[in-house]
Amino acid sequence: GGGASVPGPPPNVEEVTDEINAKTLLFESRMEGGNLGRAVQVHVHEYDLYLMPDINSRAAHSGGNTQWYYFGVTNMEADVEYKFNIMNLLKPDSLYNSGMRPALFSTANAQRGVGWTRSGVRIAYYENHLETESAAPYYTLTFTITFPHANDVVYLAHCFPYGYGDLNALLTDLTSRPHSTRYLRMSTL
C-alpha cells in the first residue's frame, strides 16, 4: 500500500470560471458622480475598494479629495454578509466613527417605493498601512452589508447622491412653472 494517488483530470476551466463568476460581485461606477477606480476581491465575500480622486482638485496628483464614494454593485447572493474596505480615504477622522452608516439604494426595493436608506454593520474608520506619494497616511472605511435580494442592482454612497443632472432637472422644473420669472432668474456664469 501507500502508493501515490493518481490525480484525476483537471477541472473544466469553464465550470470553474462560471463558479467563480457566480460568487464574485460585479462593480460599476461609470455614472455621474461614480468614483470607484478598482475593486479587489481579497476573500470570498470581502473586497478592497480604491477610489478615483476628484479630478478638479489641486491635490488630484497626491491623492485628491477621496473622502466620498458612489458606485453600484450586483451579482450578490441574498442574506450573505459582504465586507467592503475602502482603502484610500484621506481624512484622519470620520463621522463613521460616530455612528454614520453608508447610504444604500436597492433597485428591487425601489420597485416597492423604498428609496435611499442607511445600511451596514461593523463599521470602522482607521489609518491603514498605505501612503500617498507625499508620505501622508491613507485611511480605511470598512463595513459589512447583507443584501436582501440576490442579483439586485445596489448603489452604495457616502451620502444620498445629488449630481449636476439632478440640479438641471430641478432648474428646468422651477423655470417651467407659471410666474417663475417673478421669483427666479437664471444666467450663465
Side-chain angles (χ1 to χ4, degrees):
S5 64
V6 178
N12 182 329
V13 173
E14 288 181 14
E15 288 177 15
V16 171
T17 302
D18 289 345
E19 183 179 337
I20 291 169
N21 288 341
K23 295 181 184 278
T24 301
L25 294 180
L26 303 174
F27 294 87
E28 180 61 70
S29 69
R30 292 173 294 182
M31 62 224 184
E32 182 181 356
N35 70 335
L36 180 62
R38 181 175 58 180
V40 178
Q41 187 173 15
V42 295
H43 198 319
V44 175
H45 296 117
E46 182 176 357
Y47 295 83
D48 285 353
L49 308 177
Y50 297 86
L51 306 176
M52 295 182 294
D54 289 351
I55 59 172
N56 290 332
S57 77
R58 291 186 323 146
H61 299 292
S62 62
N65 290 326
T66 50
Q67 199 57 37
W68 59 276
Y69 56 92
Y70 179 34
F71 59 89
V73 63
T74 190
N75 205 39
M76 70 281 293
E77 298 176 65
D79 301 321
V80 171
E81 289 188 342
Y82 289 91
K83 183 177 180 181
F84 299 97
N85 308 303
I86 300 177
M87 302 296 294
N88 62 327
L89 299 170
L90 289 173
K91 287 172 57 177
D93 198 10
S94 172
L95 290 174
Y96 289 104
N97 284 335
S98 299
M100 185 169 156
R101 296 176 7 181
L104 180 144
F105 182 89
S106 159
T107 56
N109 286 347
Q111 294 173 359
R112 292 192 288 282
V114 178
W116 284 93
T117 60
R118 292 286 179 179
S119 188
V121 296
R122 292 189 294 286
I123 300 166
Y125 186 92
Y126 53 91
E127 185 175 330
N128 64 36
H129 63 282
L130 303 174
E131 293 183 342
T132 67
E133 290 177 13
S134 61
Y138 277 119
Y139 296 84
T140 295
L141 168 63
T142 185
F143 57 92
T144 300
I145 299 280
T146 302
F147 300 105
H149 310 288
N151 299 313
D152 192 2
V153 176
V154 173
Y155 297 93
L156 295 169
H158 175 71
C159 59
F160 308 142
Y162 188 85
Y164 182 71
D166 297 313
L167 177 61
N168 277 336
L170 174 64
L171 293 174
T172 299
D173 176 54
L174 291 174
T175 57
S176 69
R177 294 180 182 183
H179 312 293
S180 66
T181 56
R182 291 171 31 196
Y183 307 103
L184 178 66
R185 184 179 69 202
M186 287 182 35
S187 63
T188 303
L189 295 176

